[in-house]
């Protein structure tokens, strides 16, 4: 079997099981519920959050959140999209891993009022650790707009390496913007929830 066929089989392998529940020191990451729509809409209606994401329109409302939630709750997608919640089950963001263009991608966002507390590194790190335990030979791709220094810092802390830079269209900005592409494999993950 040639290398191209083998690589395609590895890349297109389905997600390893349903969306898990993952607990960290301060957070619970869980599958989404329809009741999360209002919190998602409130977070993504904030242009300071949505401008850092490529596929989120502005304005963003509850119907947009419901449209996003339905396929994830029904299990129609081959991805993990975990709600980031605090101890009182308040939805404050999302960490997701999805197959796009034949490559596994990590994406995430956090409500602006929770920025600067280390929540995203904690949440994304826990998801990556679980993912790589199940799919250790997989490379994960991610990235951030060049003006999203905090997101690039999260990726650096977790062990991602910069591999490219290009222009990417941002739906909320309605324009192209400089984008940094990153990649991570299991050997380079710098997060451990184990003591």
């Amino acid at each position: 079997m040639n290398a191209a066929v083998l690589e395609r089989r590895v890349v297109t392998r389905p997600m390893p099981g349903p969306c898990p529940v993952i607990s960290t020191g301060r957070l619970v990451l869980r599958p989404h519920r329809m009741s999360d729509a209002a919190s998602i809409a409130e977070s993504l209606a904030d242009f300071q959050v949505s401008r850092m994401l490529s596929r989120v329109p502005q304005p963003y409302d509850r119907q947009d959140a419901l449209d996003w939630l339905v396929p994830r709750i029904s299990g129609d997608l081959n991805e993990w999209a975990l709600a980031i919640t605090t101890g009182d089950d308040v939805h404050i963001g999302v960490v997701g891993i999805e197959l796009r263009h034949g490559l596994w991608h990590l994406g995430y966002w956090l409500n602006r009022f929770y920025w600067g507390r280390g929540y995203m590194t904690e949440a994304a790190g826990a998801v990556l650790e679980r993912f790589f335990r199940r799919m250790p030979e997989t490379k994960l791709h991610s990235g951030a707009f060049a003006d999203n220094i905090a997101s690039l810092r999260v990726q650096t802390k977790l062990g991602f390496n910069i591999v490219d830079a290009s222009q990417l269209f941002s739906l909320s900005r309605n324009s192209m913007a400089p984008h940094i592409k990153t990649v991570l494999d299991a050997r380079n993950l710098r997060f451990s929830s184990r003591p």
Side-chain angles (χ1 to χ4, degrees):
M1 179 179 308
N2 73 36
V5 171
L6 182 59
E7 177 68 17
R8 189 168 49 248
R9 284 188 181 169
V10 171
V11 169
T12 59
R13 190 171 144 197
M15 188 56 95
C19 197
V21 174
I22 303 170
S23 295
T24 70
R26 301 179 292 168
L27 306 169
V28 175
L29 312 173
R30 60 162 172 78
H32 279 87
R33 306 175 187 135
M34 292 305 282
S35 59
D36 294 327
S39 294
I40 292 169
E42 180 182 333
S43 294
L44 294 181
D46 182 344
F47 186 67
Q48 295 304 311
V49 176
S50 64
R51 70 183 293 277
M52 298 302 182
L53 305 170
S54 62
R55 299 181 287 168
V56 175
Q58 275 298 309
Y60 192 94
D61 61 28
R62 189 171 185 280
Q63 187 59 53
D64 293 311
L66 290 169
D67 291 344
W68 183 84
L69 281 167
V70 168
R72 280 147 189 92
I73 291 172
S74 68
D76 289 346
L77 302 173
N78 185 32
E79 69 177 23
W80 285 351
L82 293 134
I84 303 170
T85 67
T86 56
D88 54 3
D89 201 36
V90 172
H91 186 290
I92 63 170
V94 173
V95 176
I97 297 177
E98 66 177 326
L99 190 62
R100 269 191 293 148
H101 312 295
L103 302 171
W104 289 105
H105 286 262
L106 171 73
Y108 50 84
W109 59 263
L110 192 64
N111 180 294
R112 182 167 50 103
F113 297 104
Y114 294 88
W115 290 358
R117 300 182 194 183
Y119 285 150
M120 190 50 72
T121 302
E122 184 176 333
V127 171
L128 292 171
E129 186 177 62
R130 178 72 60 94
F131 178 79
F132 282 133
R133 270 193 271 147
R134 296 182 183 188
M135 297 179 73
E137 302 303 316
T138 304
K139 286 189 179 201
L140 256 169
H141 298 260
S142 194
F145 285 112
D147 60 346
N148 192 348
I149 303 304
S151 185
L152 290 168
R153 192 175 309 124
V154 166
Q155 292 175 38
T156 300
K157 286 180 190 175
L158 294 172
F160 280 85
N161 291 304
I162 294 173
V163 293
D164 199 5
S166 63
Q167 294 284 315
L168 183 65
F169 186 75
S170 167
L171 194 56
S172 63
R173 299 179 197 205
N174 194 29
S175 67
M176 300 295 284
H179 185 264
I180 309 296
K181 295 179 184 178
T182 62
V183 69
L184 175 69
D185 61 37
R187 294 181 320 249
N188 295 323
L189 179 61
R190 292 188 201 138
F191 177 87
S192 178
S193 61
R194 297 180 187 138

